[in-house]
Amino acid sequence: MKKVAKTKLAELFSAMAAWGKLYVPAVSDGIVNFVPWQEGLTVALTALNVLVPPKKFFFPQTETVLSYEMGEDLQLEDFACRAGERAILFAARPCDVASFAMMDKVYLDEPLDEAYRRRRENTTVIALGCSEPDEACFCRSFDIDATKAPGADVLAIDIGQELVLVAQTEKGERLISVLNGLLSEATSGDENRVKDEQEKNEGRYVTSVNLRGMMEKLDGMFAADYWEQLYKRCIGCGTCTFLCPTCHCFDLQEYAAGRRGERIRCWDACMFADFTQMAGGHNPRPSQKERVRQRFMHKLNYFPHQHGDYACVGCGRCVRKCPVNLDILEVIQEVGGAVDGL
Amino acid sequence: MNNLLIPDSAIVRDVFHENDDTSTFSLQFTDAQKRLEYSFQPGQFNMLSIFGVGEAPISISSSNGSRENFTHTVRHVGSLTRMFAKLKAGDLLGVRGPYGNGWPLKQAHGKNLLIVAGGIGLAPLRPAIYNILEQPALFGKVELLYGSKNPGEMLFRHEYRQWAEQISMLLTVDDASGFDWNHNAGLVTALFDKMQSVPENTVVLSCGPEIMMKHVVKGLLARGFHSGQLYVSLERKMFCGVKKCGRCQVGSKFVCHDGPVFSYDVLENEPAEIIGVLGRE
């Protein structure tokens, strides 16, 4: 267990940035997002969640998959081999770190996605434990402890004047060894403060939901009238899906200029009418009702059937940002789980 | 490690115009090694690219016995498939695949087969038909029921004479006006009253519009077939073919990976995300 004084963080960031591309949370125009670190940047250590989920570091919002040139023959360039420069993600919150495991279930499942694998392998994730979950945070309901992040390479815990750093993987140990000159050994007093911080965690959640039996309840609800009244508020903006750290759907688009062009992969959302629209005219999800149902069924029923976990980490982005308050907490409660708080 | 979204280059060797809006393209990989390695099962599909336009899943319509060339039968209805109408011999395409599971032909060995197709739905069944024609001893009686809008829209018409030597065929159209037509008129499900097939020891393969398959399943269940005998091939929008892009989900199943061929006893336990169709209603 190592530690670093908060007053020395700029030096630490500088050392990290010399080792790999460093991304940190920072405020710009009132919005917190991960940005490349640079000298003089104020790092938003107390901000809870960045707006755009950090899945983008492995599954970018848009990326070139290939470029082509049509001549005598077809020249294709695979862009996956360009992916995966050495990078560090500093201060990912435990819910977002848990979301990476969900994305892995999709993109590292055979046949695996090479660009994703390279980015995942070459990014060292430093989680920062949360000491003040807000009313839209409900990660605890998914067995995520906001002061722990078992999926992170390094766990950072804020103990006041200092950050304690615990390497949790080989990748994490490698990074800690690179930074060693700037770190000091944590004392037993520091360890106790970390323990304190972790013990206080249980009492800090304002909101929690009971997911017991949720998947099973939804097994029988596909044809329920419930969706009929739920969907009417939805304006199909797709905000929930774009901000969701576990949504993995994508679109492929072509950008062509004469005989050359690129094929681009970008995030897409099951909230949009053309998501399943087929050329022959058939759309298996013809109205917003089927699309809203798909979102909740996928997260709380289909994905658990496929992978054994709910496709939600309780980050609260969709709860905070839905313009019509179509709230997953409300759905869980109405379907049958109990919601305490809020 | 290969990037699974990168196609191989293939050349159009031949184009055959089936009818006004549908053509069959004979393709060959430009790389000789790829030609040797490539194999597929009847009922599987490839992702076909026209660079600058896009990529879409299209089922393979040729025999898996000949691997040097393979064919795709494409109806020109979408932004990509309309561009297929402009392709000519010598043009280059991108091909990746094959994807999906294919028809359960091995399970059908020693059994009778009832094939029910509608419109372009005959294309993914043609490799199965060739498979049957090439090894007739492996199967019992084989019957094909095929329906289309009008006689002119029927696919692979020049092959029926040969098919009919080994397969009993019943053809029907919605509207025969203006054609010299001495087969049936009406929906393909109306042929159930005329067919020889019985539920005993029979496997059913069906592909066509989902509304058709819905009535095929209903009609055959009413005639004493059970859901485990019925196989349907579904069509969905897809971008990857490898259960990542999320488009083709039907409940917890991916059409690209768990399908496109589904036994109806699997689908009836999935949410009925198919025009309220197959599955629980």
Side-chain angles (χ1 to χ4, degrees), chain A residues 68 76 78 106 109 111-112 114 219 222 248-252 254 263 268 274-275 277 282 285 306, chain B residues 1 3-4 7 49 51-53 210 235-237 239 243-245 247 249 251-252 254 271-273 280:
Chain A
Y68 65 87
L76 286 177
D78 175 1
V106 174
D109 187 21
L112 60 76
E114 179 61 5
D219 277 342
F222 185 82
H248 61 78
C249 291
F250 65 77
D251 191 2
L252 288 176
E254 307 269 313
R263 184 165 291 169
D268 203 354
D274 64 357
F275 185 76
Q277 176 68 55
H282 177 207
R285 295 186 203 133
Q306 289 161 345
Chain B
M1 173 62 73
N3 181 344
L4 48 86
S49 291
F51 292 96
V53 186
E210 279 188 14
E235 184 182 34
R236 283 293 178 277
K237 192 170 184 176
F239 282 112
K243 61 192 165 115
K244 312 260 184 272
C245 79
R247 309 260 151 183
Q249 295 197 47
S252 59
F254 290 91
E273 183 135 273
R280 311 175 208 137

Side-chain angles (χ1 to χ4, degrees), chain B residues 47-278:
Chain B
M47 297 295 294
L48 301 187
S49 291
I50 295 181
F51 292 96
V53 186
E55 191 174 44
I58 310 278
S59 56
I60 306 167
S61 63
S62 55
S63 167
N64 64 326
S66 77
R67 288 155 53 173
E68 183 72 6
N69 294 276
F70 51 93
T71 72
H72 286 276
T73 301
V74 181
R75 206 173 141 220
H76 312 303
V77 290
S79 55
L80 177 72
T81 52
R82 272 199 294 270
M83 294 304 286
F84 268 84
K86 299 180 180 174
L87 289 178
K88 53 192 187 312
D91 286 344
L92 290 172
L93 291 181
V95 178
R96 59 188 177 92
Y99 297 119
N101 56 0
W103 300 107
L105 289 172
K106 283 219 174 82
Q107 291 97 297
H109 285 174
K111 296 184 177 164
N112 304 314
L113 276 164
L114 169 62
I115 300 172
V116 189
I120 188 79
L122 187 59
L125 282 160
R126 190 164 75 150
I129 291 169
Y130 285 148
N131 205 285
I132 294 159
L133 296 174
E134 285 156 13
Q135 333 168 64
L138 292 179
F139 303 94
K141 285 183 191 161
V142 182
E143 187 165 30
L144 168 64
L145 316 182
Y146 180 43
S148 76
K149 275 187 196 146
N150 59 58
E153 292 211 354
M154 295 218 133
L155 298 178
F156 316 128
R157 290 193 296 276
H158 56 292
E159 301 181 10
Y160 294 173
R161 193 181 297 265
Q162 195 202 335
W163 294 5
E165 288 172 12
Q166 290 173 50
I167 294 176
S168 47
M169 291 174 63
L170 288 172
L171 305 177
T172 189
V173 294
D174 298 345
D175 180 5
S177 52
F179 289 90
D180 178 16
W181 180 250
N182 51 14
H183 296 276
N184 303 282
L187 296 173
V188 74
T189 43
L191 298 175
F192 292 161
D193 291 333
K194 298 188 174 182
M195 70 181 180
Q196 299 158 19
S197 296
V198 291
E200 287 68 39
N201 202 35
T202 299
V203 172
V204 181
L205 313 180
S206 183
C207 186
E210 279 188 14
I211 187 76
M212 180 207 92
M213 290 192 283
K214 167 181 181 165
H215 291 289
V216 166
V217 167
K218 273 192 175 170
L220 292 177
L221 289 176
R223 279 168 171 76
F225 287 80
H226 62 84
S227 53
Q229 292 175 272
L230 311 179
Y231 292 85
V232 296
S233 181
L234 300 182
E235 184 182 34
R236 283 293 178 277
K237 192 170 184 176
M238 293 175 193
F239 282 112
C240 70
V242 285
K243 61 192 165 115
K244 312 260 184 272
C245 79
R247 309 260 151 183
C248 70
Q249 295 197 47
V250 174
S252 59
K253 299 282 185 284
F254 290 91
V255 173
C256 68
H257 176 81
D258 303 302
V261 176
F262 289 94
S263 162
Y264 181 65
D265 65 358
V266 171
L267 284 185
E268 69 184 343
N269 292 312
E270 285 296 326
E273 183 135 273
I274 330 182
I275 48 177
V277 176
L278 308 162

Side-chain angles (χ1 to χ4, degrees), chain A residues 191-209:
Chain A
E191 284 185 35
N192 285 337
R193 265 181 283 177
V194 168
K195 254 185 226 150
D196 265 6
E197 195 51 35
Q198 292 179 331
E199 274 161 20
K200 273 189 265 172
N201 177 58
E202 276 316 322
R204 285 174 175 154
Y205 297 94
V206 189
T207 302
S208 71
V209 290

Side-chain angles (χ1 to χ4, degrees), chain A residues 78-112:
Chain A
D78 175 1
F79 275 56
C81 50
R82 299 188 186 190
E85 65 172 337
R86 187 154 72 186
I88 302 164
L89 187 56
F90 176 79
R93 293 298 182 173
C95 54
D96 281 341
V97 173
S99 80
F100 302 156
M102 308 289 162
M103 298 299 283
D104 289 352
K105 285 174 195 279
V106 174
Y107 285 100
L108 297 182
D109 187 21
E110 289 295 337
L112 60 76

